[in-house]
Amino acid sequence: MAPPAMAVGISTINGTGRVRRCVESVRRASLCGQVEVSRIVVVDDGSSESKLRELRDLSQGLEFEFREHRRNLGISATWNHIIDALMDSPLVLVLNDDIQLRPRCLEMLYYFTRWHHGAWGTVSPWLAHRGEPTPLKITGCTPTVPQVALSPCGAAFLLRPPFWRAVGGFDETFKSFYEEVDFGLRLAQLGLWSYHLPTVGADHGWSETFIENAEMLKPEERMRDSRSYFRSKWGGDLPSAPRIQELFSYMAPHGVHWLSPDGPQDAMCEPIIWAECESAAPTIST
């Protein structure tokens, strides 16, 4: 019997070293977890010519497919490019270039999809930064079962391409920030929830791309623009926007509720879109 398989797509900009570490971690996880990686596609979003040359050379050495944008189009366009290129794959894992998978990550993600074969939209591994599991601070406790959310983790998530297509892909008006929140909400409108696994599966460099490309990407400006666009699109902020409240009215009978803090969201802070499913689910062990 052939081993289970998935494809991997990685977004980057001026990130030769990050891409190398990310791809190498994917290869290790494939070997350790016995999940075959059928294809790896790296899409560059406007790197300098010298970095493009480095990435082209790297693609030959590490044997991944390399595609490029001649100018920076934003993360939503890059993710859409990645998923469109991998439409023939039943499962696609999308990663930022500052992600490094841990050995059992692919296996955990794959076996979640085998267990929860129905209404899931995305599934993300827990991430760690400098050894600390960053998302656990949201719930204030260590979860033991997959957690339901209204959006995927914006740095690492698994999806099925037909459902990406069903909601129209990522909204490319969002150049950075809020794009995964908008995408997750549109999936949730179809009853396709986003899940986060209860075990750390990857390490995240945490904004390395923005730090190294601040002049080009202008993160603070993009955060403000994305928040403004999100409010106009959804009729307000989270969680008060009426269209988002409707989603929670639908989810409440299923034991899903808000865990994010009350009060207005800071204009410079992406909102926490988080809920907890009270129904038990199989624990995924490492």
Side-chain angles (χ1 to χ4, degrees), residues 79 120-122 149-153 157 159 167 169-171 174 178-196 230 233-234 238 244 247 251 273:
W79 282 346
W120 64 273
T122 67
L150 279 186
S151 73
C153 165
F157 56 92
L159 53 67
V167 298
F170 287 89
D171 185 338
F174 294 105
Y178 286 82
E179 73 288 331
E180 79 275 27
V181 179
D182 171 78
F183 180 71
L185 290 171
R186 286 184 283 123
L187 284 172
Q189 288 178 320
L190 299 181
L192 298 167
W193 313 119
S194 297
Y195 287 82
H196 292 243
F230 181 91
K233 182 173 183 176
W234 288 92
L238 292 156
I244 299 170
L247 284 174
M251 294 170 75
I273 317 302

Side-chain angles (χ1 to χ4, degrees), residues 3-11 22-23 25-27 29-30 34-43 63-65 67 79 81-96 101 105-107 109-110 113 120 123 125 155-162:
M6 66 178 66
V8 176
I10 301 167
S11 63
C22 184
V23 170
S25 77
V26 170
R27 299 289 191 203
S30 179
Q34 299 180 342
V35 173
E36 180 184 353
V37 174
S38 56
R39 294 171 64 191
I40 298 177
V41 172
V42 175
V43 175
E63 298 182 339
F64 59 79
E65 300 171 45
R67 307 186 180 201
W79 282 346
H81 189 165
I82 285 169
I83 300 162
D84 185 64
L86 296 170
M87 279 298 297
D88 60 345
S89 302
L91 296 171
V92 174
L93 177 60
V94 182
L95 303 173
N96 282 356
L101 301 186
C105 184
L106 298 179
E107 191 173 27
L109 291 167
Y110 175 77
T113 71
W120 64 273
V123 56
F157 56 92
L158 184 75
L159 53 67
R160 294 172 287 184

Side-chain angles (χ1 to χ4, degrees), residues 254-272:
H254 302 280
V256 177
H257 54 275
W258 277 100
L259 290 176
S260 53
D262 295 330
Q265 299 291 345
D266 189 311
M268 296 308 298
C269 180
E270 211 166 353
I272 297 170

Side-chain angles (χ1 to χ4, degrees), residues 12-60:
T12 190
I13 178 169
N14 292 320
T16 310
R18 294 190 299 273
V19 169
R20 177 189 293 278
R21 292 188 292 272
C22 184
V23 170
E24 288 175 345
S25 77
V26 170
R27 299 289 191 203
R28 287 194 299 269
S30 179
L31 291 172
C32 293
Q34 299 180 342
V35 173
E36 180 184 353
V37 174
S38 56
R39 294 171 64 191
I40 298 177
V41 172
V42 175
V43 175
D44 178 86
D45 192 28
S47 289
S48 66
E49 189 57 42
S50 62
K51 290 295 184 182
L52 282 173
R53 287 195 296 269
E54 292 178 2
L55 285 162
R56 291 178 193 127
D57 291 343
L58 187 66
S59 71
Q60 298 299 312

